[in-house]
């Protein structure tokens, strides 16, 4: 006898919570994004795509979008360049040291981004340790401005998102069978060639997954750009915050938020296709 | 891995990355002991005056208490909802199982900012913005997926033969669940609870939109002070938080393995 299996009751509480706290609020967001905000009169529900058109038709907002994409790209590259060697080196250490290094690399992920930004404010300050070092060595005469600009934002985001890249690359490094590397060495390949022709291709899925994760989070970040950019570097996420907490134009803010979702989901779709293709090639 | 190629450049690059990761927190901790009133590194002298100062600032203490209450309440709700859901998904075949799993994990995929504005619009209609209840609902939404994920992984690793043995030995299904299954899942549940606690305690994005004049959390309070940060008080507050989280992570590492739990979650 076959009978229709319904979801067990134990799944229901969580399902209801998600539908009530995520699905329904997102529907509200979508509806409000189609409404219009008039100062003094509030939100008028006349359902049009005006807010989306306003964002996509205004050079100022497109400029902000470009800044966001540029920062996210730089952060992704930075995480890759800094994270890969660290993961590669960590993977070769003795187990106890590997555990220690991994702990040191991942623990900062668990501390609020506000606290880490406070650290960067001090490090990058005009009278901070980096400028102190530069002046002491005589490389510069006056402090170099390193804070409240795009450089600080990119650096802060790299530090915040590095753990994701390290984790992703390390996982794919540890998945490589030692026999493969031994085979390459026995066949006479020098270490550099083993890395370029064997290790690097085998870690491409990890690189792709880590990069797109970093890109997606960077593209929707607003705390680091706000604190370390000092209001000078505006990202799409900052626009959303501004619309919601300052100008109170919720419809326009909701529309920008949904465009952000489209961007992030687009990135994840690319990741999905890319990782699948990379893994398919291997077989 | 290959027989170790000792490349000094590689070592240098790895050390630089490690420095980059640790430096901001180390600097914050160092300055908290400064004896002057400058937010400057290296600190001068040694004193505990900024720690004493915290006790004279009621807003930080209130915000910390709120954050702790919120983190405990969110972790508790997330564990209840997430564990039951994960068991339901793994142990029962039903159509749309993958869709339910995807839906429950989706808050991890979407930008938290968007979750926050959606919640703000929804909760303000219910009159719950800037309330503990509203904050709690928001935090449960962002912490529950961690529990679901970690318990799902745990369930996959449980050897079904152990439960089968208990059944054959005559235990009722209920008894098997409460005397066997729950204990096998404990590492995953504990890891989920700890992550939920930390993620709630640290949360700024959702809290920023759901707090207000009546209620605030520690990260929001710190965020508000950051714009005119000019004395080391903030570093003392932050150091206490860093120390607390570090202690919790070390405890996790020794008992259930924090780094391995984190890597399981990424997959």
């Amino acid at each position: 006898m076959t009978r229709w299996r319904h979801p067990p009751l134990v799944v229901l509480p969580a399902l209801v919570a998600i539908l009530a706290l995520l699905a329904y609020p997102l529907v509200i967001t979508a509806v409000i994004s189609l409404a219009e905000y008039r100062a003094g009169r509030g939100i008028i529900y006349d359902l049009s795509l005006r807010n989306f058109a306003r964002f996509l038709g205004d050079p100022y907002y497109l400029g902000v979008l470009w800044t966001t994409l540029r920062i996210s790209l730089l952060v992704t590259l930075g995480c890759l360049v800094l994270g890969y060697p660290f993961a590669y080196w960590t993977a070769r250490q003795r187990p106890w040291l590997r555990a220690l290094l991994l702990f040191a690399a991942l623990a900062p992920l668990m501390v609020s981004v506000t606290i880490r930004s406070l650290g960067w404010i001090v490090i990058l300050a005009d009278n901070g340790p980096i400028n102190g070092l530069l002046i002491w060595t005589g490389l510069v005469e006056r402090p170099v401005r390193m804070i409240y600009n795009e450089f600080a934002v990119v650096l802060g985001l790299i530090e915040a998102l590095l753990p994701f890249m390290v984790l992703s690359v390390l996982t794919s490094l540890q998945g490589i069978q030692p026999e493969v590397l031994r085979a390459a060495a026995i066949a006479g390949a020098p270490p550099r060639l083993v890395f370029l022709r064997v290790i690097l291709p085998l870690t491409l899925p990890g690189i792709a997954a880590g990069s797109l994760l970093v890109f997606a989070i960077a593209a929707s970040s607003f705390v680091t750009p706000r604190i370390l950019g000092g209001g000078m570097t505006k990202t799409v996420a900052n626009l959303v915050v501004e619309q919601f907490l300052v100008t109170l134009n919720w419809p326009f803010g909701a529309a920008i938020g949904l465009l952000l979702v489209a961007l992030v989901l687009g990135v994840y779709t690319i990741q999905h296709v890319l990782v699948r293709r990379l893994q398919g090639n291997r077989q | 891995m290959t027989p170790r190629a000792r490349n000094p450049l590689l070592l240098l690059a790895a050390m630089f990355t490690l420095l980059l990761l640790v430096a901001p927190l180390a600097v914050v901790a160092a300055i908290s002991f400064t004896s002057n009133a400058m937010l400057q590194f290296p600190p001068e002298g040694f004193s505990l005056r900024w720690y004493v100062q915290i006790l004279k600032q009621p807003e930080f203490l209130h915000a910390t208490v709120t954050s702790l209450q919120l983190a405990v309440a969110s972790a508790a709700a997330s564990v209840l909802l997430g564990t039951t859901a994960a068991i339901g998904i793994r142990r029962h075949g039903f159509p749309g199982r993958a869709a339910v799993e995807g839906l429950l994990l989706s808050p991890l995929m979407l930008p938290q900012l968007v979750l926050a504005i959606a919640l703000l619009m929804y909760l303000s209609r219910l009159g719950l913005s800037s309330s503990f209840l509203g904050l709690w609902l928001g935090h449960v939404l962002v912490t529950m997926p961690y529990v679901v994920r970690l318990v799902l992984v745990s369930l996959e690793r449980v050897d079904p033969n152990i439960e089968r043995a208990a059944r054959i030995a005559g235990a009722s299904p209920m008894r098997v669940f409460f005397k066997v299954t729950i204990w096998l899942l404990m590492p995953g549940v504990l890891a989920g609870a700890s992550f939920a606690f930390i993620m709630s305690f640290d949360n700024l994005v959702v809290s920023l939109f759901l707090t207000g004049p009546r209620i605030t959390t520690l990260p929001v309070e710190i965020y508000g002070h950051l714009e005119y940060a000019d004395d080391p008080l903030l570093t003392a507050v932050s150091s206490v938080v860093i120390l607390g989280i570090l202690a919790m992570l070390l405890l996790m590492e020794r008992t259930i393995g924090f780094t391995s739990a984190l890597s399981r979650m990424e997959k």
Side-chain angles (χ1 to χ4, degrees):
Chain A
M1 187 185 85
T2 56
R3 66 192 173 97
W4 188 76
R5 316 268 319 252
H6 56 85
L9 286 175
V10 284
V11 178
L12 282 184
L15 206 56
V16 169
I18 283 285
L19 291 177
L21 297 175
L22 179 69
Y24 184 60
L26 280 179
V27 171
I28 295 179
T29 310
V31 172
I32 289 187
S33 75
L34 300 173
E36 189 189 4
Y37 174 80
R38 292 219 189 100
R41 291 181 57 196
I43 297 169
I44 295 157
Y45 292 91
D46 60 348
L47 309 189
S48 78
L49 289 170
R50 164 189 322 104
N51 293 314
F52 295 92
R54 179 178 163 200
F55 183 90
L56 296 171
D58 189 329
Y60 170 72
Y61 295 124
L62 291 178
V64 173
L65 179 63
W66 165 237
T67 305
T68 309
L69 294 177
R70 184 179 62 230
I71 289 177
S72 307
L73 203 62
L74 286 172
V75 169
T76 308
L77 282 175
C79 282
L80 187 58
V81 169
L82 290 165
Y84 199 101
F86 179 80
Y88 188 76
W89 185 73
T90 302
R92 293 158 164 249
Q93 303 309 311
R94 293 161 218 283
W96 69 267
L97 186 58
R98 192 163 61 218
L100 189 71
L101 285 166
L102 203 57
F103 186 83
L106 300 185
L109 191 65
M110 298 288 126
V111 177
S112 184
V113 68
T114 46
I115 294 177
R116 285 181 285 164
S117 299
L118 178 63
W120 283 118
I121 290 178
V122 174
I123 293 173
L124 299 174
D126 286 353
N127 58 2
I130 296 184
N131 266 318
L133 199 68
L134 286 175
I135 293 173
W136 181 73
T137 54
L139 281 171
V140 296
E141 288 181 1
R142 248 170 292 160
V144 184
R145 192 89 179 129
M146 282 181 291
I147 186 99
Y148 304 133
N149 55 27
E150 203 171 304
F151 167 76
V153 175
V154 171
L155 187 65
L157 281 173
I158 288 176
E159 184 260 337
L161 302 180
L162 253 176
F164 292 107
M165 183 67 88
V166 169
L167 213 52
S168 190
V169 172
L170 195 65
T171 309
S172 63
L173 275 172
Q174 286 176 333
I176 299 177
Q177 305 288 329
E179 291 83 3
V180 176
L181 303 179
R182 220 168 292 144
I186 292 171
R192 200 159 57 100
L193 208 59
V194 174
F195 176 75
L196 286 176
R197 302 289 289 274
V198 183
I199 299 177
L200 197 58
L202 285 177
T203 49
L204 274 182
I207 292 176
S211 299
L212 289 155
L213 184 63
V214 167
F215 188 92
I217 303 177
S220 59
S221 67
F222 74 90
V223 181
T224 309
R226 177 77 190 79
I227 299 176
L228 295 180
M232 293 295 144
T233 310
K234 201 155 269 181
T235 62
V236 176
N238 286 130
L239 288 179
V240 178
V241 178
E242 204 175 84
Q243 297 302 324
F244 270 90
L245 299 183
V246 185
T247 51
L248 300 182
N249 186 343
W250 286 12
F252 190 43
I256 305 175
L258 290 180
L259 287 171
L260 205 55
V261 173
L263 177 71
V264 169
L265 290 184
V267 169
Y268 280 129
T269 309
I270 296 172
Q271 169 190 5
H272 198 70
V273 172
L274 210 62
V275 169
R276 188 167 281 186
R277 185 160 296 175
L278 287 171
Q279 282 168 342
N281 279 349
R282 211 198 292 170
Q283 279 145 14
Chain B
M1 300 298 314
T2 43
R4 58 210 75 214
R6 292 184 191 279
N7 188 336
L9 266 178
L10 181 64
L11 176 69
L12 204 67
M15 287 300 107
F16 182 75
T17 302
L18 193 61
L19 181 72
L20 199 73
L21 283 164
V22 178
L25 298 185
V27 164
V28 166
I31 295 180
S32 69
F33 295 108
T34 191
S35 58
N36 65 13
M38 299 274 282
L39 195 60
Q40 193 180 355
F41 186 88
E44 257 175 38
F46 177 90
S47 84
L48 294 175
R49 61 186 278 210
W50 298 108
Y51 287 90
V52 177
Q53 193 71 32
I54 302 177
L55 301 174
K56 297 175 190 160
Q57 300 267 348
E59 73 260 34
F60 281 115
L61 292 178
H62 286 157
T64 307
V65 171
T66 306
S67 280
L68 285 173
Q69 289 170 335
L70 194 58
V72 170
S74 305
S78 291
V79 163
L80 281 177
L81 293 171
T83 308
T84 50
I87 291 172
I89 289 171
R90 262 305 167 272
R91 289 296 164 89
H92 301 268
F94 58 91
R97 201 165 65 152
V100 169
E101 184 181 334
L103 194 63
L104 292 180
L105 295 175
S106 62
L108 291 179
M109 300 271 286
L110 295 167
Q112 238 183 51
L113 174 64
V114 174
L115 303 182
I117 59 168
L119 277 167
L120 171 65
M121 290 187 278
Y122 174 50
L123 293 175
S124 64
R125 287 181 168 202
L126 301 176
L128 287 176
S129 61
S130 189
S131 73
F132 188 85
L133 182 60
L135 272 170
W136 179 60
L137 292 173
H139 279 222
V140 170
L141 176 67
V142 294
T143 55
M144 188 179 71
Y146 292 104
V147 181
V148 174
R149 188 54 156 282
L150 286 164
V151 177
L152 278 175
V153 175
S154 253
L155 275 163
E156 263 163 33
R157 302 171 137 213
V158 167
D159 182 355
N161 286 325
I162 302 175
E163 289 168 296
R164 214 167 289 152
R167 291 291 293 276
I168 293 169
S172 68
M174 276 305 230
R175 202 172 156 80
V176 172
F177 181 78
F178 283 107
K179 292 281 174 182
V180 181
T181 315
I182 264 194
W183 298 103
L184 293 172
L185 290 181
M186 223 14 114
V189 174
L190 282 178
S194 318
F195 272 107
F197 180 91
I198 294 175
M199 287 301 159
S200 163
F201 189 78
D202 272 350
N203 188 286
L204 174 68
V205 178
V206 170
S207 297
L208 193 62
F209 287 86
L210 301 181
T211 48
R214 278 177 293 160
I215 187 165
T216 191
T217 66
L218 188 59
V220 174
E221 190 69 37
I222 294 178
Y223 180 72
H225 276 79
L226 266 182
E227 296 195 50
Y228 43 93
D230 46 9
D231 67 41
L233 177 68
L234 274 183
T235 63
V237 176
S238 302
S239 299
V240 175
V241 174
I242 295 172
L243 195 71
I245 290 180
L246 205 59
M248 197 165 159
L249 292 180
L250 281 171
L251 190 71
M252 272 176 82
E253 186 71 44
R254 293 305 293 266
T255 50
I256 43 181
F258 149 68
T259 46
S260 56
L262 197 61
S263 23
R264 282 200 298 275
M265 205 146 58
E266 283 300 304
K267 273 178 224 162

